[in-house]
């Protein structure tokens, strides 16, 4: 269980000035196309690195606040899937 200030930081509640505006946000959901009929490979090269798809695992800061492995676990998962991982500048681990 996280302490309320930490939970609010992660949840973004400490940044919300007007909660009514927050709850009135509507998102448009879009699904991916049925890829079973897609015959061309979706792999690509990003900055000279081969990836299984053009989708990257984007930066999410301070993952170490909620799990001991933090960004290391995310990086390992991305590597296992052949995906790029983008490290946040607010990571809880060094890039080295």
């Amino acid at each position: 269980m996280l302490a309320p200030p930490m939970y609010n930081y992660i949840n973004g509640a400490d940044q919300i000035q007007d909660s009514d505006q927050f709850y009135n946000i509507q998102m448009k959901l879009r699904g991916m196309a049925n890829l079973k009929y897609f015959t061309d490979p979706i792999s690509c090269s990003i900055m000279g690195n081969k990836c299984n798809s053009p989708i990257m695992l984007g930066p999410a800061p301070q993952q170490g606040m909620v799990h001991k492995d933090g960004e290391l676990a995310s990086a390992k998962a991305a590597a296992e899937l052949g995906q790029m991982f983008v490290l946040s500048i607010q990571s809880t681990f060094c890039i080295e």
Side-chain angles (χ1 to χ4, degrees):
M1 179 111 183
L2 296 174
M6 188 176 294
Y7 174 82
N8 288 338
Y9 171 76
I10 294 168
N11 194 36
D14 63 333
Q15 299 172 9
I16 299 170
Q17 302 298 319
D18 185 356
S19 62
D20 290 335
Q21 287 181 346
F22 176 76
Y23 290 109
N24 288 328
I25 295 173
Q26 294 191 6
M27 312 262 308
K28 182 175 182 178
L29 301 176
R30 297 181 181 187
M32 291 185 70
N34 188 345
L35 296 178
K36 74 178 184 179
Y37 300 109
F38 192 72
T39 58
D40 295 332
I42 59 172
S43 62
C44 64
S45 176
I46 300 173
M47 296 175 56
N49 297 300
K50 186 176 180 329
C51 298
N52 289 335
S53 79
I55 300 170
M56 297 182 194
L57 182 56
Q62 304 292 326
Q63 293 179 33
M65 289 174 46
V66 294
H67 192 276
K68 65 180 179 65
D69 294 335
E71 292 85 0
L72 294 178
S74 296
K76 287 177 184 176
E80 286 177 15
L81 295 171
Q83 297 302 118
M84 295 287 281
F85 173 73
V86 182
L87 186 65
S88 170
I89 61 170
Q90 294 181 340
S91 174
T92 52
F93 290 90
C94 288
I95 195 168
E96 294 83 20

